[in-house]
Each structure stands twice: as structure tokens, then as C-alpha cells.
Amino acid sequence: MFSGGHFFKDQLQPSLAEPKLGHTDDARVRELELQVERLLLITEALWRLLQEKHGFDENELVRMITMIDLEDGKLDGRKPASPPKPCPKCQRILSKNRPRCLFCGEPIAADPFER
């Protein structure tokens, strides 16, 4: 799954925006709810590990959440979409959710936090 320490977009799961064939809206909503629940479980497990192994406390977590939330200048509980990035090889603007540059074919390392 890693190549040189990086995820590549073609190795990640399909986009949540891509509905599966034959899925009704209700089924898609349920699928997304299950994925959110799984992410909450993973997030809580990671937070508990940080507390137990490194001694972080709730105040540090709240401070970091607030700092990240304010990166766009608004305290609104949201992280804005990532701006378009240039290809590291040809410098042309990359299409989001593509495993390779459309222009030169360069594999693109996925940023797991890109929106």
C-alpha cells in the first residue's frame, strides 16, 4: 500500500463520491453512516493511544482542532477543500482523485487529508 513511504491514489479505496451500481439512495446513506462510524472508532482508538503512550491531554487535542479549524480564518468546525496542486514532474495542475498526472503520467502520492 505504500511506495517510498507514500500512499498512491490508485492504491486507496474508491471515492465516497462514486456510487456503487444498484445502490439506492437509502442504501448509499446507510453505507456512508457505517463509514462515518468506522472513522469515529478509528479516531477514538488513535486518541487513546496518544493519551496512553505519549501523555497528551484533552486540552492539547482541543487546541489542535481549533488551530486546524482556523486555517481558513473561520471557526466553523469544517476543513476547507484543498487548493489544486501542480504535478511534481511537469508542474501542470493535477486533477483531484487521479492516481497519475493526466499530462505526463507521473504517479501522484495521495495526501490522506486532502479534501
Side-chain angles (χ1 to χ4, degrees), residues 43-44 46-48 50-51 56-69:
T43 301
E44 184 166 341
L46 289 170
W47 174 238
R48 287 184 186 182
L50 287 169
Q51 285 178 306
F56 292 116
D57 66 26
E58 297 285 332
N59 292 327
E60 291 171 292
L61 178 63
V62 170
R63 183 186 60 75
M64 184 59 67
I65 291 170
T66 303
M67 189 175 80
I68 292 170
D69 189 3

Side-chain angles (χ1 to χ4, degrees), residues 85-92 94 100-101 103-108:
K85 295 179 183 176
C87 171
K89 184 175 180 183
C90 73
Q91 300 304 308
R92 294 174 113 169
L94 295 168
R100 299 184 176 280
C101 175
F103 301 100
C104 70
E106 179 75 5
I108 304 302

